[in-house]
Amino acid sequence: MACFRQAVAVIAILHSCWVLDVYAYRIWLNSYQTHAIDAVATATAYGGSKSLEGSSPFVHMQYHMGPVLTSNIRAYIIWYGSWKSTQKTVIRDFLRSISKAARKPSVAQWWSTVQLYTDQTGANISKTVEIAGEHRDRYSHGKLLSRMSIQEVIRAAIGQNGSLPIDSKGGLYMVLSSEDVAMQDFCQAVCGFHYFTFPSIVGYTLPYAWIGNSAAQCPELCAYPFAVPSYMTGMTPLKPPNGDMGIDGMISVIGHELAELSSNPLINAWYAGDDPTAPTEIADLCEGIYGSGGGGSYMGSVLTDGMGASYNINGVRRRKYLLQWVWNPYLNYCAGPNAMDAV
């Protein structure tokens, strides 16, 4: 639920994600629950790096006995606002890359770290993520949204006049808003968040996320490092790998929320801390880390293509993405497939 995006050490560039009036912050825990297995062997088998990016003996991810998404994950996209077909294609290709082979380091390898998380039966998060449906919403709730209106948007999409099914077993709903749509606390504190719908509003309990396109509003906050704040003198923005600063910035937020939706869909599964209203989740711990050596003011070592664009992961159809790392629960540090010892 929380996704604090630390872009630099001196100033935390936040794209923090919380729901309602609950503010998320980091909580350090002294207990750790996991399966008694060979951690290094398991993480390596799933493509985890052995580099110690973001490691800390004070960070402990705990399982709180809730469900994770172990069945094939079906993503339902609600395109809110005005979207170009090229923008939709970049996002679709990213989601499809999770379950399909691509040139290494790949999105599928990145997802394999998310797969390390299990439910109380020992079943891992599914390796399969598919786009199961899409719905177009042309500003049904205007161009200024709130956290509650997002649930109303979902209700309309799955209602009698909607085009999406009610999928409570393996389904998740992603509301993606275009660059001309403002959101409560967007650009002040949030770039995206995830939670679950309330039966009193939607009629069902369904995991969902909202992510906004920040290109026209605050790219220096939510599309960093493809845009940088004015106070960061001397720092040149990176060139986005898909030629769209807003969409390329969204990709990392989408990956962040998808990883946390899968490992903590009802806010009672994997997170650090004892307070579910302020959890630190598996992507929160690795905000701002994209490669080996990352942490503090340094994003880590990433790749550059022939056109000078920066990326760290490959997808289907020769796509390239810059995607933050996620927390490895066995090795207790951030991991990604583009690590120097994994490439």
Side-chain angles (χ1 to χ4, degrees), residues 108-302:
Q109 287 180 299
W110 172 84
W111 186 256
S112 69
T113 301
V114 179
Q115 284 182 261
L116 289 172
Y117 292 86
T118 63
D119 65 12
Q120 56 187 299
T121 71
N124 295 85
I125 289 174
S126 175
K127 67 177 181 180
T128 301
V129 177
E130 61 179 309
I131 301 174
E134 300 182 40
H135 177 82
R136 181 182 179 184
D137 188 319
R138 292 283 292 180
Y139 308 103
S140 66
H141 287 68
K143 293 187 177 182
L144 177 58
L145 301 175
S146 68
R147 294 181 177 87
M148 286 294 95
S149 65
I150 289 296
Q151 296 207 25
E152 294 170 355
V153 168
I154 296 172
R155 179 182 63 187
I158 65 175
Q160 292 183 350
N161 297 322
S163 58
L164 301 180
I166 299 164
D167 188 348
S168 59
K169 296 182 179 180
L172 57 85
Y173 297 79
M174 303 179 67
V175 181
L176 308 180
S177 59
S178 56
E179 62 186 70
D180 58 340
V181 176
M183 172 69 186
Q184 177 185 358
D185 292 324
F186 189 31
C187 296
Q188 299 177 35
V190 305
C191 297
F193 60 79
H194 79 89
Y195 208 59
F196 53 85
T197 61
F198 302 147
S200 59
I201 298 176
V202 179
Y204 305 88
T205 300
L206 305 169
Y208 76 92
W210 166 83
I211 300 98
N213 185 337
S214 67
Q217 300 178 59
C218 55
E220 72 282 1
L221 298 179
C222 297
Y224 181 92
F226 303 121
V228 297
S230 59
Y231 60 78
M232 296 178 67
T233 57
M235 183 171 182
T236 302
L238 300 184
K239 184 177 180 180
N242 295 287
D244 188 318
M245 173 180 59
I247 298 301
D248 278 299
M250 283 186 78
I251 291 297
S252 193
V253 186
I254 291 172
H256 180 125
E257 299 302 338
L258 189 58
E260 294 182 344
L261 269 173
S262 301
S263 59
N264 197 26
L266 300 182
I267 321 301
N268 61 359
W270 286 95
Y271 59 87
D274 294 321
D275 184 358
T277 66
T280 299
E281 299 174 282
I282 71 170
D284 297 329
L285 292 166
C286 303
E287 277 293 349
I289 298 178
Y290 297 85
S292 293
S297 61
Y298 180 49
M299 64 185 296
S301 178
V302 298

